[in-house]
Amino acid sequence: MIVNFTPVTPVVVVDNLQVSAINRGRETVLVSDIRFSVNKGEVLALIGESGSGKTTIAMALMGYARHGCQITDGRITVAGQDVRAMTPSALRQFRGNKIAYIAQSAASSFNPGIKIMDQVIEPVVIHHLMSRADAKAKAIDLFRELALPSPETIGDRYPHQVSGGQLQRLMTAMALMGDPQVIILDEPTTALDVTTQVEVLKAFRRVVTQRGMTAIYVSHDLAVVAQMADQIMVLQQGKIVEHGATSELLHHAREPYTHQLMNAAQHQSRPSSWNRHNDDVQPLLEVRDLAVGYGPRNPEGIPKIRIVEAINLQLWRGQAIGIIGESGSGKTTLAHAIAGLNPAWCGHLLFDDHYISNDLAARRPKEMQQIQYVFQMADTALNPAHTIRDILSRPLKHFHQLQGAALDKEILDLLALVKLPTSLLHRKPASLSGGQKQRVNLARALAARPDLIICDEVTSALDTVVAAAILDLIAELRRKLHLSVLFISHDMHAIRAVCDDIIVMKQGRVMTQIATEDYNKPSSHLYFERLKRAVPELRQGWLDEHQETLKAELYN
């Protein structure tokens, strides 16, 4: 018997890819010797820490390199077309038609002044692939396929009128409008809370599976990748460290760097070393019946939009409390209210056994010095025009009137405290890595010599290896400086790594508070159990199990 065998032609083939930065005739190689192929219906994950070349490789598949960079060597074939041989006009038709891109931040990718529907259908309308009416009908079908609420009318909203998870799925609909053969997902769930992340992951996988699409998934989170990818390529400093089937790599990884990524993805909680001192009669911070809102107020002084209400908590000296909840639960609003950045309309704040104003502008200098805020995005928190020395000098001069040799010594001590080299002193933030910028962000807060630091999603924009190092640093600073920490996050691993207690928020209210050491014990609070179950585990099949558990709960 003669069996006809038709060899499978890969949809994506990359051979000896090299991308370089070109500056005044000097070439710096960013990624080199990259080789892989992906078949129809397969998902390849590119994983590694910031600067490893993941996004650079993914962008090269579309024939694109960042400003100042060039694809300097190699062959790239996507959907049977030689990408490097295409003219600019051909590339414009190619992008969105044969290959589509889903960015990390949907919020910054949508135009806030244009309705969602107009933006979703724009790629196919401007390329004359279909009429506006047909494009709208197709978009609504995609909204329904991606399990978006009110698919017929959600396109009439503006981007700020939908949640982060919904906006991420709407960007997916935009990418699918041209029926591409290849889709690139670039860190699409990094900024989402755990429950939203799970729903978005399910939507991504359902679309990729049902449509038989080929996908490139860029991520730094191995636990997420384990749910999506058929094969994983581990990258470091622009080179391939390890590449293989997902099951093989998760269970039999050979390289130390791959094991480092796996350990970072499973960052373990540490036993709490905090004990309340007998002489601490009063908590360092006490929040009493706090309520925060926005917009015009009625005659009773109640704002039109109420975000958090009836918040009560106590934070003792040297203690770390984590506040966790889904996007929109009021975590950051509460943190801003405690810092005085968004004054509460009701309730009281006591700090160090005395009342402090809800409004930062009315607080005394010492009260401002005692509570310091570490913002989520170091990129926007640090002045890009100032050197690191200037940034660290300002709080030292303002709060402690240091100058001359005393100022120089304190700056060097701060750099040593956050484990940064002195060579960074005269550089500006743009020349630092994400982890280095976040350490400077932390050092600036510590320069005031505070009693309490409020850390607001300080690891959400960092890769797992760098984030683990920042979490270790915060835990070490607590011990050294006897700091109190209020840690805001949607990352349960981060909360457990740093905090003694966990406060769970939902829809502006505190649902429950538990000791971190009791995390693995069954809780009577269903919402907290739901959050715990939504944390991805580093094993294949977890997402399917999570889906089955939810179905069982729904029918019981």
Side-chain angles (χ1 to χ4, degrees), residues 129-143:
L129 298 178
M130 61 180 69
S131 69
R132 188 175 183 84
D134 289 344
K136 281 189 174 183
K138 182 170 185 177
I140 291 170
D141 287 341
L142 284 168
F143 296 162

Side-chain angles (χ1 to χ4, degrees), residues 137-175:
K138 182 170 185 177
I140 291 170
D141 287 341
L142 284 168
F143 296 162
R144 196 174 287 112
E145 186 179 349
L146 289 162
L148 282 158
S150 307
E152 289 81 11
T153 58
I154 194 170
D156 297 329
R157 303 182 200 175
Y158 289 93
H160 69 276
Q161 294 175 316
V162 299
S163 72
Q166 289 168 358
L167 207 56
Q168 204 71 27
R169 281 178 278 173
L170 287 162
M171 190 195 292
T172 305
M174 185 193 300

